[in-house]
Amino acid sequence: MIPVAVVTIVSLLYFGLLFAVAYYADWRKQQGRSLVDNPTVYTLSLAIYCTSWTYYGSVGRAASTGIDFLAIYLGPTLIAFSWWFLLRKIVRVSKEQKIVSIADFISSRYGQSAKLGAVVTIFAVLGIMPYIALQLKAVARTFDLLSFPLDSVGAAFHTLPNTDLNFDTAFAVTLILSLFGVLFGARTLDASERHEGLVAAIALESLVKVVAFVTVGLFVTYGIFDGFGDIFRSFVETFPERRDLLRLDTPGNSYIHWFSMTFIAMMAVMFLPRQFHVMVIENCREEHIRKAMWGFPAYLFVINLFVIPIAFGGLLHFDGDTRLADYFVLTMPLQQGHAWLALFVFIGGFSAAAGMVMISSVALATMILNHLIMPVILKVNPGSRSLSGLLINLKRLAIFTVIFLGYLYYRLLGETAALVNIGLISFVAASQFAPALIGGLYWRRATRRGAMVGLIAGFVLWFYTLIVPSFVQSGWLPGNLVEQGLFGLALLKPTALFGLAGFDIWSHALFWTMFGNIGSFVALSLVTEPDTDENRQVGKFVDVYQKREEPTQKTRISRAPSIVEFVELMAKFIGEKQAHAAIAGYVGEREINAHGSLSEQEVPKLKHFTELTLAGSVGSAPARIIVENYLAARGSHMEDVFDIFGSVSISRSASREQLGVLYETARVIASGNDLQLILDEILQLFTDQFKFDLCVIRILDEERQTLTVRSHHGMTSEHFGESERNLSMETFIGEAFLTNQIAVVNDSDFINKPKTKEIIHREGILSFAHAPITIEGESIGVLSAFSRSAKGIFTEEFTELFKSLAGLVGIAWRNAEQTNRLITAREQQRELAIAKDIQLGLLPSRIPAVPNVSLAGICLPAKDVGGDYYDILLHDNGRLDLVVADVSGHNIGAALIMAETRSMLRSRSQIDIRPVQLLAELNQVLYEDLTRAELFITMFYVQYEPSSGRALYASAGHSPPVLYRAASKDCILLDAEGLIIGVKRDFPYEGQQISLDTGDVLLLYTDGIIEASNDKGEFFGEQRLMGLVMENHRLGAQEMIEVIIQQVRLFSGHHHFQDDVSLVVMQIETPETAI
Amino acid sequence: MRKNRRLPWRDAWFIWFFLGVVMLNYPFLSIFNKDILIFDIPLMLLYFFIGWPVSILVIYLFSIYLGRKGQVDTTAENGTERTG
């Protein structure tokens, strides 16, 4: 016996050490040098699988029923083969989804179902309660064994030495373990789901327990006995009747039982809440699994190596008495007088029990808080005050509750069952999570209803086939329930359900629970359809290794909260410090718009981030409820974004749809229709394709500097009446035009432009967008689209498309403008051609033959049309009239004026009228027309009477003709005062007269000759012309014209003249030359 | 290079796992389920306590392979041609 005080003090000192280690690990984590981020620590933490059940129970089991206990450790070794694929996948999913417990994992997979989370939690608590009871029992028993006389061990109460106090060891142990559970697992409310301090303590405990167990093993094997061979040989010789303990296929150890145990252990090592917690939630890196895959089985191997030697050694030592076989590890050193070894073993056992209780209680408390308490709080709490303080206290309370439930179970049932049996009940319970969890991880078709019904069926059967018999065994329920079945129906016997007899209780329970569980899960999954929430989650689990594209944003938040509001929400649950740290990390990577808030597309992402952050603390299903309740409370809600692309799913096929619309628009533009028709058709297309209620195209009216409607679809008359927009930032349309950027309003409830607000609300518009219509980067108008039926139409994706469509409208406009210009140009060309025809038609078709006068005339129009005119009229009286005129303007109007002039000249010249009169009359008659047409005419008119040789002439501002005087062999210019026709109505022209002699040459011309310029900008000029006339006066009239034209061309260096060129040459010939 | 000739280690775990299940169950176990001592150790126990470390060794080798594969995969991702 060791004094109570010593045992207590050593235990407390040991716990002090554990706490120091935990504290150190937490400190290291804060320093960024994690102690736990290490595969060895991870492997040791998994060894929490070996509880006091292993530590004490295995020996008891080996001593009483044989080697079947090995299945509990061989099963995990087998399943470890799959860890790199199965466990790693679970870890990957959990890290990505910030899963905090097995209940969280299952509920998350099936659409973050709160109900499923609650069901898993309730079953987990019920299933683990016996296991915790087992630990309490083991610690209490071993404490008693060390401190009290052997005969009083197991009594409910002990009287403490020297006091009258009744002492309930189990209660004390419960209290201490609860306290440590709180200290390790719920010291602070952590936003992270990981507890490094706790894991470090667990790893140390695992080390202590294996060292203690191996020490006592070596002590028994080599201290008391002479090695393994000695023990087995002695055992076989001493207890030949118990040789069955060394084999399978014995009455208590069938192969089926062995298989069931292996299977149960395989499931339990993965899905017991505490195993799931250390393996998955507390995992630092997936890479650690690689070492744990062999390290953990190796640990199991080592700790089991001495189980049978100790068990058989104990049997040999205690003469085959198995009543205290569970505690051989402790009693043997005690009996041998090695109290300190016994104390060390006790500490090892305490480690095994305490570690399990702490992790289990923390894992279960998290589940209770997240899946049972939180939904209630969220319903009751008005949402105004901070919950972080309340939550941490509730978590502490939950830890106490879980451990005390275990104590209760122990007090009510624990004494009647062996350690191993209690543990196996929990193992079978944990196996019930396997179908929903593994199925959910690999089977897409698995549905929430399948998982729910499977779990419930499994647990009901578990309760009926395992718990009910244990209640009967403890006398809680009448014994005939097991013997005769429920209601006396043999088919309902809990241990031979539906007549399935001949199995041990574990195989029987395993069969029925798995049958009910897997059967319901598969069947219901096949007949039910997953809902939207489940569909959203399934890929995150089944395809976790595949690179998943974030689904294109299909929802938006109306009245979205700001960043600050999201932070406040998080702070309520995880405390301000944590919330600020989280948001700083998040916002750092995001783009924030000019208003300091997140863009519309970012808000749902922030919501998701808030959910994930909260999930790290409260689990994913509650986190979702929290965020959604919060949004609902402030009037915000998630809205499905109106699926602008119709029934085609928005992600991959969207680009095809977009292309389709763009193609259609381009096709309309290319149709070559009238612009108005094109614009109307484009708007019709938008309205049809995207179900817009109103589409408008406004184009800048440059004169009035307003944007006026060029085409619209769906505009009310009232709206149309005020549809013009000034170029100002007061309206979104003006803003889009001026800034040349698209203006999008996805929720018309939030408009900051009063003028727009009024119209938009009156028209019942919910969302709209204005895209500038540009030509070569310059705004020429605005394309607008409005919806009365949905907010949030303009997703990032659609905004891009809308911009492209506005671009196409711009192209349509440019095309139309170019076409117009082309048409104008063609019309002008045709007009010029007509004018040219008229002009050429006005020129004399033949030169009259006049005796002794050589005549020639030419008119060379410049490129297009000329305004020159010349005429040679021979009258019956022998008079010869020469006229050269130049009408300003090069169009039909000018040509018509010329025609009018010609008609008048021709009619008036018939009578005897002098040039000066003729010009004056012309001026009078044509003045009105010329003024109106903004034209004028220069003209030179000569009347020559061959009989007298007299020439009368007058000029209306025309270039003076050149006259070669044969007599003096020089040239003069004939000039006469006269204003251009069409400038002043009544103008007295000056008439002149000159007598022409033989050999004289008169050259009339228009300014195209003398104003012809060369490259140096010099004019041909009158002097050169006169020189030419002098040189060539002997040539005939026609030849002289040819020479002059040629020389002018040579001078200017161009074949074409810049202006019209007209020449009329009259050469007075001698009578001889005429013959 | 000749990829298809490489042992599909990635899936080998399942073969080992299956082999383990077979070797840990009836009828395989019945081979060793005999009431005899070898070197003073019961045959059944001897089978378990030799088979167990062997299976741990297999997992160990498998994990070593996984570690190497991880490195090879990383180099492959970095653009080095994989010559497995």
Side-chain angles (χ1 to χ4, degrees):
Chain A
M1 271 179 27
I2 302 168
V4 174
V6 174
V7 179
T8 309
I9 288 168
V10 170
S11 303
L12 290 179
L13 280 176
Y14 177 61
F15 260 110
L17 173 70
L18 289 181
F19 201 76
V21 168
Y23 188 82
Y24 178 65
D26 277 339
W27 179 78
R28 282 279 294 255
K29 185 191 175 190
Q30 280 170 7
Q31 301 290 307
R33 297 179 297 137
S34 174
L35 192 68
V36 172
D37 185 4
N38 175 313
T40 308
V41 172
Y42 179 65
T43 307
L44 284 173
S45 74
L46 298 193
I48 195 174
Y49 182 70
C50 302
T51 64
S52 59
W53 181 34
T54 305
Y55 204 81
Y56 300 117
S58 290
V59 175
R61 183 87 183 169
S64 52
T65 57
I67 58 174
D68 67 333
F69 77 93
L70 277 176
I72 299 296
Y73 306 95
L74 286 167
T77 305
L78 262 185
I79 197 83
F81 278 104
S82 76
W83 277 4
W84 190 246
F85 305 97
L86 179 60
L87 177 58
R88 192 164 64 112
K89 191 171 186 182
I90 297 174
V91 168
R92 175 74 62 93
V93 170
S94 300
K95 294 216 178 303
E96 281 187 8
Q97 306 302 317
K98 290 219 170 186
I99 301 286
V100 294
S101 67
I102 189 167
D104 196 15
F105 191 96
I106 294 175
S107 87
S108 278
R109 162 62 180 84
Y110 298 102
Q112 294 174 313
S113 159
K115 280 182 196 156
L116 197 56
V119 166
V120 174
T121 302
I122 290 169
F123 291 156
V125 172
L126 288 178
I128 303 314
M129 219 164 56
Y131 210 160
I132 291 176
L134 182 156
Q135 310 304 321
L136 300 177
K137 177 180 174 178
V139 177
R141 276 296 187 87
T142 49
F143 188 87
D144 291 353
L145 277 171
L146 282 183
S147 318
F148 299 101
L150 215 52
D151 53 2
S152 73
V153 168
F157 299 99
H158 303 282
T159 307
L160 283 178
N162 308 324
T163 63
D164 295 331
L165 284 175
N166 274 341
F167 178 69
D168 176 0
T169 322
F171 184 80
V173 168
T174 307
L175 208 60
I176 290 169
L177 289 184
S178 304
L179 206 61
F180 278 97
V182 167
L183 283 173
F184 282 108
R187 228 173 35 243
T188 55
L189 194 70
D190 201 340
S192 156
E193 60 282 10
R194 297 182 53 241
H195 311 78
E196 293 215 345
L198 185 57
V199 173
I202 296 302
L204 178 65
E205 284 179 341
S206 293
L207 206 59
V208 169
K209 69 190 175 200
V210 74
V211 172
F213 198 84
V214 169
T215 308
V216 74
L218 289 171
F219 167 72
V220 171
T221 313
Y222 294 101
I224 302 176
F225 295 93
D226 190 16
F228 291 100
D230 180 33
I231 293 177
F232 290 119
R233 206 174 43 245
S234 312
F235 178 76
V236 171
E237 284 166 8
T238 317
F239 304 108
E241 76 286 0
R242 296 196 191 180
R243 292 165 74 105
D244 276 358
L245 293 180
L246 293 165
R247 291 194 298 124
L248 292 174
D249 198 23
T250 55
N253 262 335
S254 67
Y255 285 125
I256 289 179
H257 170 69
W258 172 265
F259 170 80
S260 302
M261 296 275 275
T262 317
F263 182 82
I264 291 169
M266 278 162 62
M267 297 300 112
V269 78
M270 305 280 297
F271 305 126
L272 276 168
R274 70 165 194 282
Q275 290 301 126
F276 192 87
H277 190 86
V278 290
M279 261 183 183
V280 179
I281 312 300
E282 301 286 356
N283 174 285
C284 296
R285 289 165 203 270
E286 285 175 19
E287 185 58 23
H288 294 173
I289 295 172
R290 217 157 51 81
K291 186 164 186 184
M293 276 172 74
W294 60 268
F296 176 59
Y299 183 98
L300 297 181
F301 174 77
V302 171
I303 208 167
N304 275 286
L305 201 54
F306 291 101
V307 169
I308 295 176
I310 294 172
F312 289 3
L315 284 176
L316 290 167
H317 197 73
F318 291 101
D319 297 327
D321 183 0
T322 57
R323 279 177 305 163
L324 281 178
D326 278 347
Y327 306 107
F328 280 165
V329 273
L330 206 61
T331 47
M332 282 172 69
L334 214 53
Q335 288 267 310
Q336 294 286 317
H338 294 282
W340 286 104
L341 179 58
L343 190 60
F344 183 40
V345 170
F346 168 76
I347 291 295
F350 200 8
S351 294
M356 182 275 168
V357 173
M358 287 190 298
I359 294 272
S360 293
S361 62
V362 168
L364 289 176
T366 306
M367 285 156 71
I368 291 171
L369 186 68
N370 294 350
H371 298 283
L372 298 181
I373 298 175
M374 192 71 84
V376 179
I377 290 182
L378 293 176
K379 274 198 178 163
V380 176
N381 182 53
S384 54
R385 67 198 174 87
S386 171
L387 290 174
S388 57
L390 177 68
L391 291 180
I392 186 69
N393 283 327
L394 280 171
K395 191 170 184 179
R396 289 167 184 159
L397 184 68
I399 290 175
F400 266 90
T401 309
V402 167
I403 302 179
F404 271 84
L405 277 174
Y407 173 72
L408 204 67
Y409 188 94
Y410 162 65
R411 272 280 156 253
L412 296 175
L413 299 164
E415 290 301 334
T416 54
L419 291 182
V420 162
N421 290 352
I422 303 177
L424 277 176
I425 288 177
S426 292
F427 272 35
V428 177
S431 305
Q432 302 311 313
F433 299 131
L437 204 152
I438 298 178
L441 211 50
Y442 292 97
W443 192 33
R444 297 182 152 278
R445 195 72 187 77
T447 66
R448 181 175 65 237
R449 269 174 260 179
M452 179 76 100
V453 176
L455 274 167
I456 292 173
F459 272 93
V460 167
L461 287 162
W462 167 80
F463 189 85
Y464 195 69
T465 56
L466 288 178
I467 298 290
V468 167
S470 74
F471 281 177
V472 170
Q473 197 182 359
S474 65
W476 261 47
L477 289 171
N480 60 4
L481 193 65
V482 170
E483 288 152 21
Q484 291 161 15
L486 191 63
F487 314 123
L489 291 170
L491 281 182
L492 295 181
K493 278 187 194 173
T495 50
L497 198 59
F498 305 121
L500 186 75
F503 285 111
D504 61 286
I505 187 170
W506 310 111
S507 305
H508 174 264
L510 182 69
F511 175 78
W512 280 120
T513 54
M514 282 297 136
F515 181 79
N517 190 335
I518 298 174
S520 316
F521 172 62
V522 172
L524 266 142
S525 290
L526 289 176
V527 298
T528 57
E529 287 297 323
D531 62 22
T532 332
D533 289 339
E534 290 174 74
N535 280 332
R536 191 187 60 238
Q537 294 296 96
V538 64
K540 296 175 186 168
F541 285 70
V542 178
D543 304 322
V544 68
Y545 289 127
Q546 285 165 24
K547 203 175 174 188
R548 296 182 305 283
E549 273 182 32
E550 280 295 309
T552 315
Q553 196 51 53
K554 280 171 90 173
T555 51
R556 62 180 295 279
I557 301 175
S558 68
R559 295 175 186 279
S562 65
I563 298 179
V564 176
E565 285 169 304
F566 272 117
V567 175
E568 282 170 2
L569 172 66
M570 283 193 270
K572 266 172 64 179
F573 292 90
I574 61 174
E576 271 196 27
K577 206 173 143 193
Q578 306 259 19
H580 282 124
I583 202 73
Y586 176 81
V587 172
E589 305 159 7
R590 309 283 149 168
E591 280 182 26
I592 294 179
N593 70 14
H595 310 295
S597 57
L598 292 169
S599 70
E600 167 125 355
Q601 281 74 26
E602 284 290 341
V603 174
K605 290 181 192 163
L606 177 59
K607 174 188 170 259
H608 183 62
F609 172 77
T610 308
E611 271 184 33
L612 269 185
T613 309
L614 288 175
S617 183
V618 301
S620 71
R624 186 157 162 253
I625 297 170
I626 289 168
V627 174
E628 260 154 36
N629 280 0
Y630 172 75
L631 291 178
R634 68 190 300 286
S636 320
H637 56 277
M638 295 296 287
E639 295 176 331
D640 279 343
V641 168
F642 184 74
D643 189 354
I644 209 79
F645 297 110
S647 56
V648 186
S649 81
I650 203 159
S651 57
R652 239 171 255 164
S653 12
S655 53
R656 203 185 65 209
E657 282 294 297
Q658 288 188 4
L659 282 177
V661 176
L662 288 171
Y663 169 76
E664 273 299 306
T665 314
R667 199 188 53 75
V668 169
I669 291 167
S671 66
N673 282 337
D674 171 51
L675 176 66
Q676 190 61 45
L677 209 57
I678 289 175
L679 296 182
D680 291 348
E681 265 189 60
I682 290 176
L683 290 192
Q684 180 73 48
L685 185 73
F686 290 180
T687 322
D688 291 349
Q689 289 284 329
F690 305 128
K691 308 285 179 275
F692 283 128
D693 297 293
L694 170 61
C695 287
V696 185
I697 293 173
R698 286 181 176 83
I699 300 290
L700 178 68
D701 181 335
E702 287 192 4
E703 276 184 24
R704 294 163 54 214
Q705 284 296 299
T706 53
L707 289 160
T708 49
V709 174
R710 284 300 299 252
S711 175
H712 73 91
H713 197 278
M715 216 174 204
T716 61
S717 55
E718 196 180 354
H719 192 178
F720 188 73
E722 48 187 10
S723 61
E724 284 193 1
R725 294 286 179 274
N726 292 327
L727 297 185
S728 77
M729 297 293 278
E730 282 174 15
T731 62
F732 286 98
I733 295 171
E735 186 183 315
F737 184 88
L738 292 173
T739 59
N740 204 351
Q741 277 176 352
I742 190 163
V744 176
V745 173
N746 262 323
D747 190 343
S748 60
D749 290 345
F750 301 97
I751 295 182
N752 51 9
K753 298 186 192 292
K755 191 177 173 188
T756 308
K757 197 171 184 174
E758 186 195 325
I759 300 172
I760 289 296
H761 285 177
R762 191 191 64 221
E763 296 292 324
I765 307 278
L766 296 181
S767 55
F768 58 90
H770 304 296
I773 299 169
T774 57
I775 294 180
E776 276 142 23
E778 215 168 287
S779 305
I780 58 143
V782 176
L783 169 68
S784 312
F786 305 81
S787 174
R788 291 194 178 96
S789 52
K791 291 178 180 176
I793 285 184
F794 300 95
T795 55
E796 216 162 332
E797 193 181 14
F798 184 63
T799 306
E800 284 305 311
L801 175 65
F802 195 61
K803 275 198 260 182
S804 309
L805 291 169
L808 283 178
V809 174
I811 290 171
W813 184 265
R814 194 189 57 190
N815 285 355
E817 274 207 330
Q818 282 178 343
T819 311
N820 273 344
R821 247 182 265 145
L822 210 61
I823 290 171
T824 314
R826 277 197 194 139
E827 281 171 355
Q828 282 175 346
Q829 230 166 7
R830 194 174 305 142
E831 191 185 344
L832 290 175
I834 293 169
K836 198 168 181 175
D837 283 350
I838 295 172
Q839 186 200 9
L840 293 175
L842 296 180
L843 299 174
S845 51
R846 64 182 182 88
I847 305 294
V850 182
N852 301 328
V853 176
S854 173
L855 286 166
I858 193 170
C859 176
L860 296 174
K863 249 183 186 173
D864 295 319
V865 67
D868 281 12
Y869 162 70
Y870 79 95
D871 214 347
I872 302 170
L873 306 166
L874 179 62
H875 299 288
D876 294 341
N877 58 5
R879 199 183 83 207
L880 189 63
D881 285 9
L882 306 180
V883 58
V884 175
D886 186 355
V887 184
S888 68
H890 295 235
N891 51 28
I892 292 182
L896 290 176
I897 287 286
M898 199 187 287
E900 198 182 346
T901 311
R902 178 178 180 263
S903 308
M904 223 186 122
L905 281 176
R906 288 219 162 187
S907 63
R908 292 298 294 158
S909 65
Q910 295 296 328
I911 55 166
D912 191 12
I913 188 168
R914 286 168 180 259
V916 65
Q917 282 172 308
L918 198 67
L919 289 190
E921 269 182 37
L922 266 178
N923 185 35
Q924 266 184 346
V925 174
L926 293 175
Y927 177 79
E928 287 287 332
D929 290 353
L930 287 170
T931 309
R932 193 166 43 244
E934 295 180 344
L935 295 171
F936 51 86
I937 305 171
T938 64
M939 186 181 284
F940 197 92
Y941 201 104
V942 184
Q943 275 182 350
Y944 173 64
E945 286 169 2
S947 52
S948 62
R950 188 181 66 154
L952 298 175
Y953 62 91
S955 174
H958 198 79
S959 309
V962 176
L963 175 64
Y964 174 75
R965 285 292 196 181
S968 56
K969 292 190 173 64
D970 65 351
C971 280
I972 57 164
L973 295 170
L974 295 186
D975 207 359
E977 286 292 317
L979 196 64
I980 298 168
I981 297 170
V983 176
K984 197 177 172 190
R985 188 190 289 271
D986 295 309
F987 181 79
Y989 287 90
E990 183 194 7
Q992 294 278 0
Q993 105 172 19
I994 192 167
S995 153
L996 299 179
D997 297 320
T998 303
D1000 286 356
V1001 178
L1002 179 65
L1003 171 69
L1004 280 69
Y1005 61 89
T1006 52
D1007 53 10
I1009 290 282
I1010 51 172
E1011 285 174 10
S1013 59
N1014 64 8
D1015 292 342
K1016 296 174 189 163
E1018 294 168 348
F1019 287 128
F1020 189 76
E1022 289 166 346
Q1023 291 306 316
R1024 283 196 183 82
L1025 188 61
M1026 283 156 67
L1028 271 181
V1029 173
M1030 272 170 51
E1031 274 175 38
N1032 301 289
H1033 69 275
R1034 288 181 193 281
L1035 294 175
Q1038 187 60 41
E1039 289 84 358
M1040 180 177 282
I1041 282 179
E1042 282 167 16
V1043 168
I1044 292 172
I1045 295 293
Q1046 190 189 4
Q1047 288 302 314
V1048 175
R1049 277 180 177 152
L1050 279 173
F1051 174 80
S1052 68
H1054 300 289
H1055 184 74
H1056 294 289
F1057 296 102
Q1058 291 101 325
D1059 198 1
D1060 297 351
V1061 167
S1062 298
L1063 290 170
V1064 175
V1065 175
M1066 181 174 74
Q1067 205 168 25
I1068 312 298
E1069 296 173 332
T1070 54
E1072 297 82 38
T1073 50
I1075 298 167
Chain B
M1 295 290 232
R2 285 179 298 181
K3 242 182 173 174
N4 48 357
R5 285 198 58 188
R6 290 172 64 236
L7 189 64
W9 265 98
R10 216 186 128 71
D11 300 320
W13 72 270
F14 189 77
I15 299 166
W16 291 111
F17 174 73
F18 182 74
L19 206 61
V21 171
V22 168
M23 292 172 79
L24 265 186
N25 274 291
Y26 181 81
F28 201 88
L29 282 184
S30 63
I31 299 171
F32 305 96
N33 200 21
K34 298 196 170 82
D35 188 13
I36 46 173
L37 299 184
I38 291 177
F39 308 118
D40 288 337
I41 310 283
L43 179 63
M44 196 75 196
L45 280 182
L46 204 61
Y47 168 65
F48 282 139
F49 280 91
I50 289 172
W52 198 347
V54 168
S55 63
I56 291 168
L57 184 70
V58 170
I59 306 177
Y60 174 72
L61 295 174
F62 183 53
S63 77
I64 296 276
Y65 165 77
L66 286 174
R68 283 196 193 145
K69 187 175 143 285
Q71 285 169 2
V72 174
D73 282 350
T74 318
T75 41
E77 275 163 21
N78 292 339
T80 316
E81 196 186 338
R82 193 171 164 178
T83 53

